[in-house]
Amino acid sequence: MLRSRGIFFALLDMYLARNESKAGQLVAMLSDFVPEALALGTVFVATPEVAILLASLIALQNLPEGFNAFRELQEDDSSKPWHLIGVFFLMALLGPLCSLSGHFFLREQEALVGGIQLFAAGGILYLVIQDIAPQAQLKNHHLPGLGAVAGFLLGLVGYMLTK
């Protein structure tokens, strides 16, 4: 089931590449961010302590995606970087909006929320392997690798503390 979600993201990526879109990373980032945020809103109902951990993990995961999407768009955009930063700031408001929607409209729909989470997980796995990992290398810097380790550590410690 998770594999089919990854296939969706692969097809989306191929479509964007065929149309020579410079927004591939951005579209992929939003394609998993929106379902994540919807699911996050429902988690606040059941287990608020897990929701805080999940929100931290989502934020940590979205930082390298946002960085790569910004770089990708900046290469093709002749406007000033502040314009893109403004657009990214407005897109960040999607998170709370989707979380509130999930909180109020999906909290009783456990099967649907599970499907949304599986969909987002397929997107995350596809993005990490296909786009983020190869582009995250900076010359003489070890921050991308350490960031991945920090994210894993946060998830592991957070899981242990919430159980």
Side-chain angles (χ1 to χ4, degrees), residues 34-43 45 98-114 116-117:
V34 169
E36 287 171 341
L38 282 168
L40 177 63
T42 64
V43 174
V45 174
C98 289
S99 289
L100 287 171
S101 296
H103 178 77
F104 290 113
F105 301 115
L106 298 176
R107 62 177 158 197
E108 303 290 325
Q109 308 292 326
E110 291 180 18
L112 180 59
V113 172
I116 289 170
Q117 290 174 324

Side-chain angles (χ1 to χ4, degrees), residues 85-155:
I85 290 172
V87 170
F88 273 70
F89 178 78
L90 291 174
M91 284 187 297
L93 298 176
L94 278 173
L97 181 65
C98 289
S99 289
L100 287 171
S101 296
H103 178 77
F104 290 113
F105 301 115
L106 298 176
R107 62 177 158 197
E108 303 290 325
Q109 308 292 326
E110 291 180 18
L112 180 59
V113 172
I116 289 170
Q117 290 174 324
L118 278 174
F119 182 82
I124 292 166
L125 288 174
Y126 180 80
L127 284 173
V128 167
I129 302 304
Q130 182 66 21
D131 290 332
I132 295 172
Q135 294 180 23
Q137 296 181 12
L138 301 173
K139 189 174 185 178
N140 298 324
H141 291 286
H142 304 286
L143 290 179
L146 290 174
V149 171
F152 178 76
L153 182 61
L154 175 65

Side-chain angles (χ1 to χ4, degrees), residues 27-38:
V27 170
M29 177 183 73
L30 290 174
S31 295
D32 75 293
F33 175 63
V34 169
E36 287 171 341
L38 282 168

